[in-house]
């Protein structure tokens, strides 16, 4: 994914089986950040103008879908 990314944001999921995010940093040669969860990762991603790719386990994808759907629903009902 380095060929299409400007940076990586590694984040964890709430699972005892989750690999520590710091263990992944040595495997990339571009800018990399680590966060303690999806909400922090999304907040960090908003600081950069580039598109964001959320990838990881199905648990992370499910958490992202739930969070982003909630955010979109909240915006549309508050307008």
């Amino acid at each position: 994914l380095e060929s299409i990314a400007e940076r990586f944001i590694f984040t964890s999921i709430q699972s005892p089986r989750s690999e520590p995010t710091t263990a992944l940093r040595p495997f990339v040669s571009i800018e990399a950040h680590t966060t303690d969860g999806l909400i922090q990762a999304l907040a960090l991603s908003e600081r950069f103008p580039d598109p964001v790719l959320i990838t990881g386990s199905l648990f992370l994808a499910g958490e992202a879908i739930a969070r982003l759907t909630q955010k979109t629903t909240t915006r549309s009902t508050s307008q």
Side-chain angles (χ1 to χ4, degrees):
L1 292 173
E2 286 185 15
S3 63
I4 63 169
E6 294 291 322
R7 70 194 51 80
F8 285 99
I9 301 173
F10 296 115
T11 192
S12 59
I13 58 169
Q14 300 303 313
S15 170
R17 294 175 36 192
S18 181
E19 184 74 25
T21 55
T22 53
L24 301 172
R25 290 185 81 177
F27 294 102
V28 298
S29 59
I30 62 175
E31 181 182 342
H33 305 269
T34 58
T35 65
D36 292 328
L38 178 66
I39 294 171
Q40 293 89 355
L42 291 172
L44 178 60
S45 73
E46 291 176 358
R47 294 181 20 202
F48 305 108
D50 313 309
V52 175
L53 169 65
I54 298 173
T55 185
S57 72
L58 291 177
F59 294 105
L60 178 62
E63 191 177 332
I65 290 168
R67 174 70 180 165
L68 295 173
T69 301
Q70 176 187 10
K71 193 173 184 180
T72 302
T73 303
T74 303
R75 276 193 204 150
S76 41
T77 57
S78 65
Q79 294 178 354

